[in-house]
Amino acid sequence: MGIVDSIARSLGSLRPLSDTELEDEREALRQRYVSTGDVGEATNLYDELHRYDGEMTDRANKAYERENPNPPEPRHRDHGWYLPDDD
């Protein structure tokens, strides 16, 4: 971890973490969320869990885009884009 990564991490960025570190920290956070009895802390932990989920989703989407650089053409239905199939 370089100096830029350590600064980003101290400012709250999740980017410097590897995928396994991100999953491990999210699981620890989830355990704290489940076991807490304080509503205020649970709200903060819930928001933090969503931040971790967002980062994990972004990473998964970027990995998919790297693996599939040419997405397939959109499929057109027989009767147009927005018409139902029940004839």
Side-chain angles (χ1 to χ4, degrees):
M1 186 184 284
I3 186 78
V4 175
D5 290 340
S6 62
I7 292 172
R9 182 73 178 127
S10 67
L11 294 175
S13 176
L14 299 174
R15 296 237 182 251
L17 296 175
S18 69
D19 289 342
T20 55
E21 290 173 334
L22 188 68
E23 290 173 8
D24 291 343
E25 284 193 21
R26 189 202 178 279
E27 180 59 24
L29 194 65
R30 189 190 68 79
Q31 292 291 333
R32 280 183 41 210
Y33 172 72
V34 170
S35 65
T36 188
D38 182 23
V39 175
E41 182 182 2
T43 302
N44 293 337
L45 292 172
Y46 183 78
D47 293 340
E48 190 69 15
L49 280 171
H50 279 287
R51 193 168 73 97
Y52 275 75
D53 291 341
E55 178 66 26
M56 293 169 83
T57 301
D58 288 343
R59 289 182 184 192
N61 287 340
K62 287 178 184 176
Y64 179 82
E65 288 174 2
R66 279 192 308 270
E67 293 170 2
N68 301 297
N70 298 320
E73 292 293 321
R75 292 179 16 187
H76 298 280
R77 295 185 175 189
D78 291 338
H79 301 291
W81 282 90
Y82 301 106
L83 298 175
D85 283 334
D86 55 350
D87 290 341

